[in-house]
Amino acid sequence: MESNADEYLMLSGIQHFEFCPRQWALIHIEQQWDENVRTLQGKHLHRNADQPFTKENRGNKSIVRAMPVQSHSLKISGICDVVEFIKDSKGVFIPEMEDKYKVYPVEYKRGKPKQNDADVLQLTAQAICLEEMLLIDIKTGFLFYDEIKRRVEIEFTPKLKQKVRDQTQKMQEYYIRKHTPKVKTGTFCKNCSLKDVCLPDLMAKESASKYIERKIKE
């Protein structure tokens, strides 16, 4: 039996969770958000890719932009920046497109490749969604980084897919409990768009929403 799609978490949240579970909870559970230069740059970059569900044909390649995806097993849904369908006799037959294709998700990112797996896990989650929806196996995808102006190929290994499953399970557990975890602070906090909401006062027992409410009353 399929779950109610309204209960699904945002696919993009997995990159927040990998960066910092507390940041993810502040955004996705407590609905706190603030913008810094990095988030604004990211939005500007995505405008070039996010042209709602448009399709473009280039020879043997079909490019679908802003493609909605979901996974019933992970209980997540979201949007792929770009999904490339390349005709290939060794690919998988896709009835809607009446031919055999190899499928590649492509995610656009500001900056350059990160030291953590945040971007990689988001792309892997997209691949899992596409695999479920199209009943295919996707081996690789690409992350395009604006700073270096090129793609980085990502192999979707069993280890990466399992990490996505583990992380989304934790996200679901926190979301059901409405739990905002405490985390160990570090230098990465300086670039967090929520640093003024999260630190240092919120490492106490109160939630971000209660903290803000108390500050307003003061």
Side-chain angles (χ1 to χ4, degrees), residues 98-115:
E98 300 180 341
D99 213 329
K100 290 185 176 182
Y101 291 84
K102 287 188 176 179
V103 181
Y104 302 91
V106 183
E107 179 72 11
Y108 286 73
K109 295 294 183 183
R110 61 165 300 283
K112 56 187 178 181
K114 298 178 176 62
Q115 294 183 349

Side-chain angles (χ1 to χ4, degrees), residues 3 10 12 18 21 23 44 57 62 67 73 75 79 91 100 108 122 124 137 144 151 162 176 179 182 184 196 199 214:
S3 300
M10 291 178 62
S12 59
E18 177 66 11
Q23 184 202 62
H44 177 73
N57 294 317
S62 292
M67 181 174 175
S73 66
K75 294 184 180 180
I79 301 290
K100 290 185 176 182
Y108 286 73
Q122 182 183 2
T124 304
D137 183 30
F144 178 88
R151 292 180 171 190
Q162 186 58 50
I176 291 171
H179 174 64
K182 297 180 181 179
K184 184 177 181 180
D196 294 331
L199 302 169
R214 177 169 61 79

Side-chain angles (χ1 to χ4, degrees), residues 31 75 132 160:
Q31 304 296 305
K75 294 184 180 180
E132 287 188 21
L160 267 180

Side-chain angles (χ1 to χ4, degrees), residues 116-135:
N116 61 39
D117 286 337
D119 295 344
V120 173
L121 292 179
Q122 182 183 2
L123 188 69
T124 304
Q126 292 178 2
I128 292 174
C129 289
L130 289 167
E131 287 181 333
E132 287 188 21
M133 293 170 61
L134 302 174
L135 302 179

